Coordinates of all heavy atoms in Angstrom, one line a residue:
M1 N -4.6 8.6 17.5 CA -3.7 9.2 16.6 C -3.5 8.2 15.5 O -3.3 7.0 15.7 CB -2.4 9.5 17.4 CG -1.2 8.6 17.0 SD 0.3 8.9 18.0 CE -0.2 8.8 19.6
A2 N -3.6 8.7 14.3 CA -3.5 7.9 13.0 C -2.1 7.3 12.8 O -1.1 8.0 13.1 CB -4.0 8.7 11.8
I3 N -2.1 6.1 12.3 CA -0.8 5.5 11.9 C -0.9 5.2 10.4 O -1.9 4.7 9.9 CB -0.6 4.1 12.6 CG1 -0.8 4.3 14.2 CG2 0.7 3.4 12.2 CD1 0.2 5.2 14.8
T4 N 0.1 5.6 9.7 CA 0.1 5.4 8.2 C 1.4 4.6 7.8 O 2.5 4.9 8.3 CB 0.1 6.7 7.4 OG1 1.3 7.5 7.8 CG2 -1.1 7.5 7.7
A5 N 1.1 3.6 7.0 CA 2.2 2.8 6.4 C 2.2 3.3 4.9 O 1.1 3.3 4.3 CB 1.9 1.3 6.5
T6 N 3.3 3.6 4.4 CA 3.4 4.1 3.0 C 4.4 3.2 2.2 O 5.4 2.8 2.8 CB 3.9 5.6 3.0 OG1 5.1 5.7 3.6 CG2 2.9 6.5 3.6
T7 N 4.1 3.0 1.0 CA 5.0 2.4 0.0 C 5.1 3.4 -1.2 O 4.0 3.9 -1.6 CB 4.5 1.0 -0.4 OG1 3.2 1.1 -0.9 CG2 4.7 0.0 0.7
I8 N 6.3 3.6 -1.7 CA 6.5 4.4 -2.8 C 6.9 3.6 -4.0 O 7.8 2.8 -3.9 CB 7.5 5.5 -2.6 CG1 7.2 6.3 -1.3 CG2 7.7 6.4 -3.8 CD1 8.2 7.2 -0.8
W9 N 6.2 3.8 -5.1 CA 6.3 2.9 -6.3 C 6.7 3.7 -7.5 O 6.1 4.8 -7.8 CB 5.0 2.2 -6.6 CG 4.6 1.3 -5.5 CD1 3.8 1.6 -4.4 CD2 4.9 -0.1 -5.3 NE1 3.6 0.6 -3.6 CE2 4.3 -0.5 -4.1 CE3 5.7 -1.0 -6.0 CZ2 4.5 -1.8 -3.6 CZ3 5.9 -2.2 -5.5 CH2 5.2 -2.7 -4.3
K10 N 7.7 3.2 -8.3 CA 8.0 3.8 -9.6 C 7.5 2.8 -10.6 O 7.9 1.7 -10.7 CB 9.6 3.9 -9.7 CG 10.1 4.5 -10.9 CD 9.9 6.0 -11.0 CE 10.9 6.7 -10.1 NZ 10.9 8.1 -10.2
V11 N 6.5 3.3 -11.4 CA 5.8 2.5 -12.4 C 6.7 2.3 -13.6 O 7.4 3.3 -14.1 CB 4.5 3.1 -12.8 CG1 3.8 2.3 -13.9 CG2 3.6 3.2 -11.6
R12 N 6.8 1.1 -14.1 CA 7.6 0.8 -15.3 C 6.9 1.3 -16.5 O 5.6 1.4 -16.6 CB 7.8 -0.7 -15.4 CG 8.7 -1.2 -14.3 CD 8.9 -2.7 -14.4 NE 9.9 -3.1 -13.3 CZ 10.4 -4.4 -13.3 NH1 10.1 -5.3 -14.2 NH2 11.2 -4.7 -12.3
P13 N 7.7 1.7 -17.5 CA 7.1 2.2 -18.8 C 6.0 1.3 -19.3 O 6.2 0.1 -19.4 CB 8.2 2.3 -19.7 CG 9.4 2.5 -18.8 CD 9.1 1.6 -17.6
G14 N 4.8 1.9 -19.7 CA 3.7 1.2 -20.3 C 2.9 0.4 -19.3 O 2.0 -0.4 -19.7
K15 N 3.2 0.5 -18.0 CA 2.5 -0.4 -17.0 C 1.6 0.3 -16.1 O 1.2 -0.3 -15.1 CB 3.6 -1.2 -16.2 CG 4.5 -2.1 -17.0 CD 3.8 -3.4 -17.1 CE 4.9 -4.4 -17.6 NZ 4.3 -5.8 -17.5
T16 N 1.3 1.6 -16.4 CA 0.4 2.3 -15.4 C -0.9 1.7 -15.2 O -1.4 1.6 -14.0 CB 0.2 3.8 -15.9 OG1 1.5 4.4 -16.0 CG2 -0.6 4.6 -14.9
Q17 N -1.6 1.2 -16.2 CA -2.9 0.6 -16.0 C -2.8 -0.7 -15.2 O -3.7 -1.0 -14.3 CB -3.6 0.3 -17.4 CG -4.0 1.6 -18.1 CD -4.9 2.5 -17.3 OE1 -5.5 2.1 -16.3 NE2 -5.0 3.7 -17.7
D18 N -1.8 -1.5 -15.4 CA -1.5 -2.7 -14.6 C -1.3 -2.3 -13.1 O -1.9 -3.0 -12.2 CB -0.3 -3.5 -15.1 CG -0.6 -4.1 -16.5 OD1 -1.7 -4.3 -16.9 OD2 0.4 -4.5 -17.1
F19 N -0.5 -1.3 -12.9 CA -0.2 -0.9 -11.5 C -1.5 -0.4 -10.9 O -1.8 -0.8 -9.7 CB 0.8 0.3 -11.6 CG 1.0 0.9 -10.2 CD1 1.7 0.2 -9.2 CD2 0.5 2.1 -9.9 CE1 1.9 0.7 -8.0 CE2 0.6 2.6 -8.6 CZ 1.4 2.0 -7.7
L20 N -2.3 0.4 -11.5 CA -3.5 0.9 -11.0 C -4.5 -0.2 -10.7 O -5.2 -0.2 -9.7 CB -4.2 2.0 -11.9 CG -3.3 3.3 -12.0 CD1 -4.0 4.3 -13.0 CD2 -3.2 4.0 -10.6
G21 N -4.5 -1.2 -11.5 CA -5.4 -2.4 -11.3 C -5.0 -3.1 -10.0 O -5.8 -3.5 -9.2
N22 N -3.7 -3.3 -9.9 CA -3.1 -3.9 -8.7 C -3.5 -3.1 -7.4 O -3.9 -3.7 -6.4 CB -1.6 -4.1 -8.7 CG -1.2 -5.2 -9.7 OD1 -2.0 -6.1 -10.0 ND2 0.0 -5.1 -10.2
I23 N -3.3 -1.8 -7.5 CA -3.6 -1.0 -6.3 C -5.1 -1.0 -6.0 O -5.5 -1.0 -4.8 CB -3.1 0.5 -6.5 CG1 -1.6 0.5 -6.6 CG2 -3.7 1.4 -5.5 CD1 -0.9 0.2 -5.2
T24 N -5.9 -1.0 -7.0 CA -7.4 -1.1 -6.7 C -7.7 -2.4 -6.0 O -8.5 -2.4 -5.1 CB -8.1 -1.0 -8.1 OG1 -7.8 0.3 -8.7 CG2 -9.6 -1.1 -7.9
S25 N -7.1 -3.5 -6.5 CA -7.3 -4.8 -5.8 C -6.9 -4.7 -4.4 O -7.6 -5.2 -3.4 CB -6.6 -5.9 -6.6 OG -7.2 -6.0 -7.8
A26 N -5.7 -4.2 -4.1 CA -5.1 -4.1 -2.8 C -6.0 -3.3 -1.9 O -6.3 -3.7 -0.7 CB -3.7 -3.6 -2.8
K27 N -6.4 -2.1 -2.4 CA -7.3 -1.2 -1.6 C -8.6 -2.0 -1.2 O -8.9 -1.8 0.0 CB -7.6 0.0 -2.5 CG -8.5 1.0 -1.8 CD -8.8 2.2 -2.7 CE -9.5 3.4 -2.1 NZ -10.8 3.1 -1.6
K28 N -9.2 -2.7 -2.1 CA -10.5 -3.4 -1.7 C -10.2 -4.4 -0.6 O -11.0 -4.5 0.4 CB -11.0 -4.1 -2.9 CG -11.6 -3.1 -4.0 CD -12.1 -3.9 -5.2 CE -12.6 -2.9 -6.2 NZ -13.0 -3.6 -7.5
I29 N -9.1 -5.1 -0.7 CA -8.8 -6.2 0.3 C -8.5 -5.5 1.6 O -9.0 -5.9 2.7 CB -7.7 -7.1 -0.1 CG1 -8.1 -7.9 -1.4 CG2 -7.3 -8.0 1.0 CD1 -6.9 -8.5 -2.1
L30 N -7.6 -4.5 1.6 CA -7.2 -3.8 2.9 C -8.4 -3.1 3.6 O -8.5 -3.1 4.8 CB -6.1 -2.9 2.6 CG -4.8 -3.5 2.1 CD1 -3.8 -2.5 1.6 CD2 -4.2 -4.3 3.3
E31 N -9.3 -2.5 2.8 CA -10.4 -1.9 3.4 C -11.4 -2.9 4.0 O -12.0 -2.7 5.0 CB -11.1 -0.9 2.4 CG -10.3 0.3 2.2 CD -10.9 1.3 1.2 OE1 -11.8 1.0 0.5 OE2 -10.4 2.5 1.3
K32 N -11.5 -4.1 3.4 CA -12.3 -5.2 4.0 C -11.7 -5.6 5.3 O -12.4 -5.9 6.2 CB -12.3 -6.4 3.0 CG -13.0 -7.6 3.5 CD -12.8 -8.8 2.7 CE -11.4 -9.3 2.9 NZ -11.1 -10.6 2.5
L33 N -10.4 -5.4 5.5 CA -9.7 -5.8 6.7 C -9.7 -4.7 7.7 O -9.2 -4.9 8.8 CB -8.2 -6.3 6.4 CG -8.1 -7.5 5.5 CD1 -6.6 -7.8 5.2 CD2 -8.8 -8.7 6.1
G34 N -10.2 -3.5 7.4 CA -10.3 -2.4 8.4 C -9.4 -1.2 8.2 O -9.5 -0.3 8.9
A35 N -8.6 -1.2 7.1 CA -7.7 -0.1 6.8 C -8.4 1.0 6.0 O -9.4 0.7 5.3 CB -6.5 -0.6 6.1
K36 N -7.9 2.1 6.0 CA -8.3 3.2 5.0 C -7.1 3.2 4.1 O -6.0 3.4 4.5 CB -8.5 4.5 5.7 CG -8.8 5.6 4.8 CD -9.1 6.9 5.5 CE -9.4 8.1 4.5 NZ -9.5 9.3 5.2
A37 N -7.4 3.1 2.8 CA -6.3 3.1 1.8 C -6.5 4.2 0.7 O -7.6 4.5 0.3 CB -6.2 1.8 1.1
R38 N -5.4 4.8 0.3 CA -5.5 5.8 -0.8 C -4.2 5.9 -1.5 O -3.2 5.4 -1.0 CB -5.9 7.2 -0.2 CG -5.0 7.8 0.8 CD -5.7 9.0 1.4 NE -4.9 9.7 2.4 CZ -4.9 9.3 3.6 NH1 -5.5 8.3 4.1 NH2 -4.1 10.0 4.5
L39 N -4.2 6.5 -2.7 CA -3.1 6.5 -3.6 C -2.8 8.0 -3.9 O -3.8 8.7 -4.3 CB -3.3 5.7 -4.8 CG -2.2 5.7 -5.9 CD1 -1.0 4.9 -5.3 CD2 -2.7 5.0 -7.1
L40 N -1.6 8.4 -3.8 CA -1.2 9.8 -4.3 C -0.2 9.7 -5.4 O 0.6 8.8 -5.5 CB -0.5 10.5 -3.1 CG -1.2 10.7 -1.8 CD1 -0.3 11.3 -0.8 CD2 -2.5 11.4 -2.0
A41 N -0.4 10.6 -6.4 CA 0.6 10.7 -7.5 C 1.6 11.8 -7.1 O 1.1 12.9 -6.9 CB -0.1 11.0 -8.8
Q42 N 2.8 11.4 -7.0 CA 3.8 12.4 -6.7 C 4.4 13.0 -8.0 O 5.1 12.2 -8.7 CB 4.9 11.8 -5.8 CG 6.0 12.9 -5.4 CD 7.0 12.3 -4.5 OE1 7.3 11.1 -4.5 NE2 7.5 13.1 -3.6
G43 N 4.2 14.2 -8.3 CA 4.6 14.9 -9.5 C 5.9 15.7 -9.4 O 6.6 15.9 -10.3
V44 N 6.2 16.1 -8.1 CA 7.4 16.9 -7.8 C 8.0 16.3 -6.6 O 7.3 15.9 -5.7 CB 7.0 18.4 -7.6 CG1 8.2 19.2 -7.2 CG2 6.3 18.9 -8.8
G45 N 9.3 16.3 -6.6 CA 10.1 15.8 -5.4 C 11.1 14.8 -5.7 O 11.3 14.4 -6.9
T46 N 11.8 14.3 -4.7 CA 12.9 13.4 -4.9 C 12.6 12.2 -5.7 O 13.4 11.8 -6.5 CB 13.5 13.0 -3.5 OG1 13.8 14.2 -2.7 CG2 14.7 12.2 -3.6
N47 N 11.5 11.6 -5.4 CA 11.1 10.3 -6.1 C 10.2 10.5 -7.3 O 9.9 9.5 -8.0 CB 10.4 9.4 -5.1 CG 11.2 9.0 -3.9 OD1 12.4 8.6 -4.1 ND2 10.7 9.2 -2.7
A48 N 9.8 11.7 -7.6 CA 8.9 11.9 -8.7 C 9.5 11.5 -10.1 O 10.7 11.7 -10.3 CB 8.5 13.4 -8.7
P49 N 8.7 11.1 -11.0 CA 7.3 10.7 -10.8 C 7.1 9.4 -10.1 O 7.9 8.4 -10.4 CB 6.7 10.7 -12.2 CG 7.9 10.2 -13.0 CD 9.1 10.8 -12.4
A50 N 6.2 9.3 -9.2 CA 6.0 8.1 -8.4 C 4.6 8.1 -7.9 O 3.9 9.1 -7.9 CB 7.0 8.0 -7.3
F51 N 4.2 6.9 -7.3 CA 2.9 6.8 -6.6 C 3.2 6.4 -5.2 O 4.1 5.6 -4.9 CB 2.0 5.7 -7.3 CG 1.4 6.1 -8.6 CD1 2.0 5.8 -9.8 CD2 0.3 6.8 -8.6 CE1 1.5 6.1 -11.0 CE2 -0.3 7.2 -9.8 CZ 0.3 6.8 -11.0
I52 N 2.4 7.0 -4.3 CA 2.6 6.7 -2.9 C 1.3 6.1 -2.4 O 0.2 6.7 -2.5 CB 2.8 8.0 -2.0 CG1 4.1 8.7 -2.6 CG2 3.0 7.7 -0.6 CD1 4.3 10.1 -2.0
F53 N 1.4 4.8 -2.0 CA 0.2 4.1 -1.5 C 0.2 4.2 0.0 O 1.2 3.9 0.7 CB 0.3 2.6 -2.0 CG -1.0 1.8 -1.7 CD1 -2.2 2.3 -2.0 CD2 -0.9 0.6 -1.0 CE1 -3.4 1.6 -1.8 CE2 -2.0 -0.1 -0.7 CZ -3.3 0.3 -1.1
I54 N -0.9 4.7 0.6 CA -1.0 4.9 2.0 C -2.1 4.0 2.6 O -3.2 4.0 2.1 CB -1.4 6.4 2.3 CG1 -0.3 7.3 1.6 CG2 -1.6 6.7 3.8 CD1 -0.8 8.8 1.6
I55 N -1.7 3.3 3.6 CA -2.6 2.5 4.4 C -2.7 3.1 5.8 O -1.7 3.2 6.5 CB -2.1 1.0 4.5 CG1 -1.9 0.5 3.1 CG2 -3.1 0.2 5.3 CD1 -1.1 -0.9 3.1
E56 N -3.9 3.5 6.2 CA -4.1 4.2 7.5 C -4.9 3.4 8.4 O -5.9 2.8 8.1 CB -4.7 5.6 7.2 CG -4.9 6.4 8.5 CD -5.4 7.8 8.2 OE1 -5.0 8.4 7.2 OE2 -6.3 8.2 9.0
S57 N -4.4 3.4 9.7 CA -5.2 2.8 10.8 C -5.4 3.9 11.8 O -4.7 4.8 11.9 CB -4.3 1.7 11.4 OG -4.1 0.7 10.4
A58 N -6.4 3.7 12.6 CA -6.8 4.7 13.6 C -5.8 4.9 14.7 O -5.6 6.1 15.1 CB -8.2 4.3 14.2
D59 N -5.1 3.9 15.1 CA -4.1 4.0 16.2 C -3.2 2.7 16.1 O -3.4 1.9 15.2 CB -4.8 4.1 17.5 CG -5.8 3.0 17.8 OD1 -5.7 1.9 17.3 OD2 -6.8 3.3 18.5
W60 N -2.3 2.6 17.1 CA -1.4 1.5 17.1 C -2.1 0.1 17.2 O -1.7 -0.8 16.6 CB -0.3 1.6 18.1 CG 0.8 2.6 17.7 CD1 1.0 3.9 18.3 CD2 1.7 2.5 16.7 NE1 2.0 4.5 17.6 CE2 2.5 3.7 16.7 CE3 2.0 1.5 15.8 CZ2 3.5 3.9 15.8 CZ3 3.0 1.7 14.9 CH2 3.8 2.9 14.9
K61 N -3.1 0.1 18.1 CA -3.9 -1.2 18.2 C -4.5 -1.6 16.9 O -4.4 -2.7 16.5 CB -4.9 -1.1 19.3 CG -5.7 -2.4 19.5 CD -6.7 -2.3 20.6 CE -7.4 -3.6 20.8 NZ -7.4 -4.6 19.8
A62 N -5.2 -0.6 16.3 CA -5.8 -0.9 15.0 C -4.7 -1.4 13.9 O -5.0 -2.3 13.1 CB -6.6 0.3 14.5
Y63 N -3.6 -0.7 14.0 CA -2.5 -1.1 13.1 C -2.1 -2.5 13.3 O -1.9 -3.3 12.4 CB -1.3 -0.1 13.2 CG -0.1 -0.5 12.4 CD1 -0.1 -0.3 11.0 CD2 1.0 -1.2 13.0 CE1 1.0 -0.7 10.2 CE2 2.1 -1.6 12.2 CZ 2.1 -1.3 10.9 OH 3.1 -1.7 10.1
G64 N -1.9 -2.9 14.6 CA -1.5 -4.3 15.0 C -2.5 -5.3 14.5 O -2.2 -6.3 14.0
D65 N -3.8 -4.9 14.8 CA -4.9 -5.8 14.4 C -4.9 -6.0 12.8 O -5.1 -7.1 12.3 CB -6.2 -5.3 14.8 CG -6.4 -5.3 16.3 OD1 -5.6 -6.0 17.0 OD2 -7.3 -4.6 16.8
L66 N -4.6 -4.9 12.1 CA -4.6 -5.0 10.6 C -3.5 -5.9 10.2 O -3.6 -6.8 9.3 CB -4.4 -3.6 10.0 CG -4.2 -3.6 8.5 CD1 -5.5 -4.1 7.8 CD2 -3.9 -2.2 8.0
Q67 N -2.3 -5.8 10.8 CA -1.1 -6.6 10.4 C -1.4 -8.1 10.7 O -1.1 -8.9 9.8 CB 0.1 -6.2 11.2 CG 0.6 -4.8 10.8 CD 0.9 -4.7 9.3 OE1 1.6 -5.4 8.8 NE2 0.3 -3.7 8.7
T68 N -2.1 -8.4 11.8 CA -2.4 -9.8 12.1 C -3.4 -10.3 11.0 O -3.2 -11.4 10.5 CB -3.1 -9.9 13.5 OG1 -2.1 -9.4 14.4 CG2 -3.5 -11.3 13.8
K69 N -4.4 -9.5 10.7 CA -5.4 -9.9 9.6 C -4.7 -10.1 8.3 O -5.0 -11.1 7.6 CB -6.5 -8.9 9.5 CG -7.4 -8.8 10.7 CD -8.4 -7.7 10.5 CE -9.2 -7.5 11.8 NZ -10.1 -6.3 11.6
M70 N -3.8 -9.2 7.9 CA -3.1 -9.3 6.7 C -2.3 -10.6 6.6 O -2.2 -11.2 5.5 CB -2.2 -8.1 6.4 CG -2.9 -6.8 6.2 SD -1.9 -5.3 6.3 CE -0.8 -5.6 4.9
Q71 N -1.7 -11.1 7.7 CA -0.9 -12.3 7.7 C -1.7 -13.5 7.5 O -1.1 -14.6 7.1 CB 0.0 -12.3 9.0 CG 1.0 -11.3 9.0 CD 1.7 -11.3 10.4 OE1 1.6 -12.2 11.2 NE2 2.5 -10.2 10.6
T72 N -3.0 -13.5 7.8 CA -3.8 -14.7 7.8 C -4.9 -14.6 6.7 O -5.6 -15.6 6.5 CB -4.4 -15.0 9.2 OG1 -5.2 -13.8 9.6 CG2 -3.3 -15.2 10.2
D73 N -5.1 -13.5 6.1 CA -6.2 -13.4 5.1 C -5.8 -14.0 3.8 O -4.8 -13.6 3.2 CB -6.5 -11.9 4.9 CG -7.7 -11.7 4.0 OD1 -8.9 -11.9 4.5 OD2 -7.5 -11.3 2.8
A74 N -6.7 -14.9 3.3 CA -6.4 -15.7 2.1 C -6.4 -14.7 0.9 O -5.5 -14.9 0.0 CB -7.4 -16.8 1.9
D75 N -7.3 -13.7 0.9 CA -7.3 -12.8 -0.3 C -6.0 -12.0 -0.3 O -5.5 -11.8 -1.4 CB -8.5 -11.9 -0.2 CG -9.9 -12.6 -0.4 OD1 -9.8 -13.7 -1.1 OD2 -10.9 -12.1 0.1
W76 N -5.6 -11.5 0.8 CA -4.4 -10.7 0.8 C -3.1 -11.5 0.4 O -2.3 -11.1 -0.3 CB -4.2 -10.0 2.2 CG -3.0 -9.1 2.2 CD1 -1.8 -9.3 2.9 CD2 -2.7 -7.9 1.5 NE1 -0.9 -8.3 2.6 CE2 -1.4 -7.4 1.8 CE3 -3.5 -7.2 0.6 CZ2 -0.9 -6.3 1.2 CZ3 -3.0 -6.0 0.0 CH2 -1.7 -5.6 0.4
Q77 N -3.1 -12.7 1.0 CA -1.9 -13.6 0.7 C -1.9 -13.9 -0.8 O -0.9 -14.0 -1.4 CB -1.9 -14.8 1.6 CG -1.7 -14.5 3.1 CD -0.4 -13.8 3.3 OE1 0.7 -14.1 2.8 NE2 -0.4 -12.7 4.1
G78 N -3.1 -14.2 -1.3 CA -3.2 -14.5 -2.8 C -2.8 -13.3 -3.6 O -2.1 -13.5 -4.6
F79 N -3.2 -12.1 -3.2 CA -2.8 -10.9 -4.0 C -1.3 -10.7 -3.9 O -0.7 -10.5 -5.0 CB -3.5 -9.7 -3.3 CG -2.9 -8.4 -3.9 CD1 -3.3 -7.9 -5.1 CD2 -2.0 -7.7 -3.2 CE1 -2.8 -6.8 -5.6 CE2 -1.5 -6.5 -3.7 CZ -1.9 -6.0 -4.9
L80 N -0.7 -10.9 -2.8 CA 0.8 -10.7 -2.7 C 1.5 -11.7 -3.6 O 2.5 -11.3 -4.2 CB 1.2 -10.9 -1.2 CG 0.9 -9.7 -0.3 CD1 1.4 -10.1 1.1 CD2 1.5 -8.4 -0.8
T81 N 1.0 -12.9 -3.6 CA 1.7 -14.0 -4.4 C 1.6 -13.6 -5.9 O 2.6 -13.6 -6.6 CB 1.1 -15.3 -4.1 OG1 1.3 -15.7 -2.8 CG2 1.7 -16.4 -5.0
K82 N 0.4 -13.3 -6.3 CA 0.1 -13.0 -7.7 C 0.8 -11.7 -8.2 O 1.4 -11.7 -9.2 CB -1.4 -12.9 -8.0 CG -1.8 -12.6 -9.4 CD -3.3 -12.4 -9.5 CE -3.6 -11.8 -10.9 NZ -4.9 -11.2 -11.0
A83 N 0.6 -10.6 -7.4 CA 1.0 -9.3 -7.9 C 2.5 -9.0 -7.5 O 3.1 -8.1 -8.2 CB 0.1 -8.2 -7.3
V84 N 3.0 -9.6 -6.5 CA 4.3 -9.2 -6.0 C 5.3 -10.4 -6.1 O 6.3 -10.3 -6.9 CB 4.3 -8.6 -4.6 CG1 5.6 -8.2 -4.1 CG2 3.3 -7.5 -4.5
T85 N 5.1 -11.4 -5.3 CA 6.1 -12.5 -5.1 C 6.4 -13.2 -6.4 O 7.5 -13.4 -6.8 CB 5.6 -13.4 -4.0 OG1 5.3 -12.6 -2.9 CG2 6.7 -14.4 -3.7
A86 N 5.3 -13.7 -7.1 CA 5.5 -14.6 -8.2 C 5.6 -13.9 -9.5 O 5.8 -14.5 -10.6 CB 4.4 -15.6 -8.3
N87 N 5.4 -12.6 -9.5 CA 5.4 -11.8 -10.8 C 6.8 -11.5 -11.2 O 7.6 -10.7 -10.6 CB 4.6 -10.5 -10.5 CG 4.3 -9.8 -11.8 OD1 4.8 -10.1 -12.9 ND2 3.4 -8.8 -11.7
T88 N 7.2 -12.0 -12.4 CA 8.5 -11.8 -12.9 C 8.6 -10.5 -13.8 O 9.7 -10.2 -14.1 CB 9.0 -13.0 -13.8 OG1 8.0 -13.2 -14.9 CG2 9.1 -14.3 -13.0
N89 N 7.5 -9.9 -14.0 CA 7.5 -8.7 -14.8 C 6.5 -7.7 -14.1 O 5.5 -7.4 -14.7 CB 7.1 -8.9 -16.3 CG 7.3 -7.7 -17.1 OD1 8.0 -6.8 -16.8 ND2 6.6 -7.7 -18.2
P90 N 6.9 -7.2 -12.9 CA 6.0 -6.3 -12.2 C 5.7 -5.0 -12.9 O 6.5 -4.5 -13.7 CB 6.7 -6.1 -10.8 CG 8.1 -6.4 -11.1 CD 8.2 -7.4 -12.2
A91 N 4.5 -4.4 -12.5 CA 4.1 -3.2 -13.1 C 4.9 -2.0 -12.5 O 5.0 -0.9 -13.1 CB 2.6 -2.9 -12.8
A92 N 5.5 -2.2 -11.3 CA 6.2 -1.1 -10.6 C 7.3 -1.6 -9.7 O 7.2 -2.8 -9.3 CB 5.2 -0.2 -9.8
D93 N 8.2 -0.8 -9.4 CA 9.3 -1.1 -8.5 C 9.1 -0.4 -7.2 O 8.9 0.8 -7.2 CB 10.7 -0.8 -9.1 CG 10.9 -1.6 -10.3 OD1 10.9 -2.8 -10.3 OD2 11.2 -1.0 -11.4
L94 N 9.2 -1.1 -6.1 CA 9.1 -0.5 -4.8 C 10.4 0.3 -4.5 O 11.5 -0.3 -4.6 CB 8.9 -1.6 -3.7 CG 8.8 -1.1 -2.3 CD1 7.6 -0.2 -2.0 CD2 8.8 -2.3 -1.3
I95 N 10.3 1.6 -4.3 CA 11.5 2.4 -4.1 C 11.6 3.0 -2.7 O 12.6 3.7 -2.3 CB 11.6 3.5 -5.1 CG1 10.5 4.5 -5.1 CG2 11.8 2.9 -6.5 CD1 10.7 5.7 -6.0
G96 N 10.5 2.8 -1.9 CA 10.6 3.4 -0.5 C 9.4 2.9 0.3 O 8.4 2.5 -0.2
T97 N 9.6 2.9 1.6 CA 8.6 2.5 2.6 C 8.7 3.4 3.8 O 9.7 4.0 4.0 CB 8.8 1.0 3.1 OG1 10.0 0.9 3.8 CG2 8.7 0.0 2.0
G98 N 7.6 3.5 4.5 CA 7.6 4.3 5.7 C 6.5 3.9 6.7 O 5.5 3.3 6.3
L99 N 6.7 4.2 8.0 CA 5.6 3.9 9.0 C 5.6 5.2 9.8 O 6.7 5.5 10.4 CB 5.9 2.7 9.8 CG 4.9 2.3 10.8 CD1 3.6 2.0 10.2 CD2 5.4 1.1 11.6
S100 N 4.5 5.9 9.9 CA 4.5 7.2 10.6 C 3.3 7.2 11.5 O 2.3 6.6 11.3 CB 4.3 8.3 9.6 OG 5.3 8.2 8.6
S101 N 3.4 8.0 12.6 CA 2.3 8.3 13.5 C 2.0 9.7 13.5 O 2.9 10.6 13.4 CB 2.6 7.8 14.9 OG 3.8 8.4 15.4
E102 N 0.7 10.0 13.6 CA 0.3 11.4 13.6 C 0.8 12.1 14.9 O 0.8 11.6 16.0 CB -1.2 11.4 13.6 CG -1.9 12.8 13.5 CD -3.4 12.7 13.5 OE1 -3.9 11.6 13.7 OE2 -4.0 13.8 13.3
V103 N 1.1 13.4 14.7 CA 1.6 14.2 15.9 C 0.5 15.2 16.1 O 0.3 16.1 15.3 CB 2.9 14.9 15.6 CG1 3.3 15.8 16.7 CG2 4.0 13.9 15.3
P104 N -0.2 15.1 17.2 CA -1.3 16.1 17.5 C -0.7 17.5 17.7 O 0.3 17.7 18.4 CB -1.9 15.6 18.8 CG -1.4 14.2 19.0 CD -0.1 14.1 18.2
L105 N -1.3 18.5 17.1 CA -0.8 19.9 17.2 C -1.7 20.8 18.0 O -1.7 22.0 17.9 CB -0.6 20.4 15.8 CG 0.5 19.8 15.0 CD1 0.5 20.3 13.6 CD2 1.8 19.9 15.6
G106 N -2.6 20.2 18.8 CA -3.4 21.0 19.7 C -4.7 21.3 19.3 O -5.5 21.0 18.6

């Protein structure tokens, strides 16, 4: 059963290209670590306009393994420092997070 971690981002005016560049970098690193990553543009709904970044793992074990890798991977830690932690003028604001598990429907 798939596990998805989601983050919802509100892009700051004039920063869409910077945001997409950051997401592209994050996707490459996370996929190297074993995740499936994708980005959705939310055009309608409570948070719209926003982007939803989805990181998917095959199951809870794969999710746990991914989290362990993320905590120790130099590329991921460097990305977080550059794009999130040390950035005083980020491209987007985090407005929501989620962790979901797939419900089999038969």
Side-chain angles (χ1 to χ4, degrees):
M1 113 182 51
I3 306 301
T4 59
T6 56
T7 51
I8 304 172
W9 299 91
K10 183 74 74 170
V11 176
R12 293 182 177 187
K15 298 275 195 167
T16 300
Q17 292 304 345
D18 292 341
F19 174 75
L20 294 175
N22 286 338
I23 290 296
T24 299
S25 296
K27 181 181 188 294
K28 288 177 185 174
I29 296 167
L30 292 167
E31 288 182 343
K32 176 190 77 165
L33 298 177
K36 178 179 178 183
R38 59 190 178 277
L39 182 66
L40 303 177
Q42 184 177 29
V44 177
T46 305
N47 297 312
F51 286 96
I52 304 169
F53 187 53
I54 301 168
I55 303 168
E56 184 176 316
S57 300
D59 53 31
W60 283 111
K61 179 176 181 343
Y63 174 78
D65 292 345
L66 175 64
Q67 293 303 305
T68 299
K69 290 175 189 176
M70 289 168 66
Q71 291 174 12
T72 58
D73 183 75
D75 290 336
W76 182 249
Q77 293 303 313
F79 169 79
L80 287 179
T81 299
K82 178 183 169 203
V84 181
T85 309
N87 192 346
T88 59
N89 188 21
D93 297 303
L94 180 65
I95 61 171
T97 61
L99 183 61
S100 305
S101 60
E102 183 179 9
V103 177
L105 294 176

